[in-house]
Amino acid sequence: MSHPPFSPDRARAARQRIGLAPEQVVAAMGQLGVHRSVTAVLAWETGAMTPSEAELFALADALWCPTPELMARLPRSLREHRLARQFSAERLAERIGMDADAYARAERDHRWSGTDRQTLGLADALGLAPDELLRVIRRAGDLDDLLRHAVEGRWKQHTTSLARLVPAPEPRVAQVLRALHQEYARFNERYMGHLVARNDNARLRELATERAEWLHGLPDRFLDLVGHRAGPPT
């Protein structure tokens, strides 16, 4: 599983705000059962490394700050809402009475497949209001489908739908879709170039795997770019 969203600057600021030395953070995390070195804490604060989910939870507790503060954004996806409440995927699945593998697939594939009872349990565990719950579980599948159609075809015609779904300003969504469409086109160009050149099958399989991984991470990348305020994507 990929590392959770994390802000080195927020982590460093949180530690300095309460006046803890890195050694004290390590000691506090150790009391929570997560034993890491001072080097690891400093690497997180400089961005050289990113904490795992368990490390993020322990770090937030050690720094006496909400987990979303270290994530540097409000939760948007199902996984981010889970992280904000400091649930592991396995513990949340058990809490709502859902098979752990089925829950993991829901996060991985951005498609909610829970029963009504499991959905109500999810809302209770994550503290989601009805409208927020619907936004999280409905957006997952719709977002994935719309984005795939956008990058594989004519992205402009999906701009309004995606802007309403996220929600986000249409000009920003258009900028992001154009950039993602170009990235996907480059994957196809590289693949076709190797195919025409009759390169070995191993390289073609490697390119196909890269493209599949890119498509798998497309929803998260889209949300990151739409929420980025420093300027248009490059």
Side-chain angles (χ1 to χ4, degrees):
M1 178 173 287
S2 62
H3 287 280
F6 179 73
S7 169
D9 292 339
R10 292 286 183 89
R12 184 171 57 255
R15 176 177 64 78
Q16 293 173 344
R17 185 170 61 246
I18 59 176
L20 289 182
E23 292 80 4
Q24 292 172 302
V25 174
V26 168
M29 290 180 64
Q31 292 177 349
L32 297 169
V34 179
H35 301 281
R36 298 296 181 269
S37 65
V38 171
T39 301
V41 172
L42 293 176
W44 296 336
E45 291 188 0
T46 60
M49 292 174 58
T50 302
S52 65
E53 290 187 5
E55 291 167 342
L56 175 66
F57 299 160
L59 182 62
D61 288 344
L63 297 177
W64 290 77
C65 70
T67 304
E69 181 176 336
L70 298 185
M71 293 163 61
R73 68 192 192 199
L74 294 175
R76 297 173 299 197
S77 66
L78 177 57
R79 184 194 184 200
E80 289 176 2
H81 278 285
R82 172 177 64 77
L83 292 173
R85 291 284 176 152
Q86 293 198 358
F87 278 106
S88 67
E90 294 78 10
R91 191 160 71 89
L92 180 57
E94 182 180 4
R95 166 79 176 265
I96 66 177
M98 191 173 188
D99 177 75
D101 289 338
Y103 178 82
R105 284 195 299 272
E107 280 196 5
R108 183 189 67 227
D109 299 336
H110 300 279
R111 291 182 181 279
W112 179 247
S113 59
T115 64
D116 289 346
R117 184 174 180 178
Q118 291 166 344
T119 302
L120 290 174
L122 181 75
D124 179 66
L126 300 183
L128 297 173
D131 58 337
E132 192 173 18
L133 172 68
L134 288 175
R135 189 161 55 245
V136 169
I137 65 175
R138 183 179 61 193
R139 185 177 67 180
D142 291 347
L143 180 61
D144 186 68
D145 289 341
L146 283 172
L147 284 173
R148 285 183 180 244
H149 280 98
V151 299
E152 291 173 351
R154 298 180 177 180
W155 62 266
K156 290 183 180 180
Q157 67 187 46
H158 299 287
T159 301
T160 300
S161 296
L162 282 163
R164 289 174 180 171
L165 189 62
V166 174
E170 278 197 39
R172 183 62 191 171
V173 171
Q175 289 177 322
V176 171
L177 287 181
R178 181 172 61 248
L180 292 175
H181 186 272
Q182 292 170 348
E183 284 186 22
Y184 186 72
R186 285 195 289 270
F187 272 116
N188 288 333
E189 289 171 3
R190 288 167 58 201
Y191 185 86
M192 293 305 298
H194 284 279
L195 187 64
V196 170
R198 297 185 178 182
N199 286 350
D200 61 281
N201 290 334
R203 180 53 182 155
L204 291 175
R205 286 195 298 270
E206 182 180 330
L207 287 170
T209 299
E210 288 180 15
R211 183 173 61 177
E213 290 176 350
W214 186 89
L215 284 170
H216 175 69
L218 182 58
D220 288 335
R221 179 155 168 71
F222 172 77
L223 291 174
D224 284 340
L225 290 173
V226 166
H228 180 57
R229 301 190 179 189
T234 57

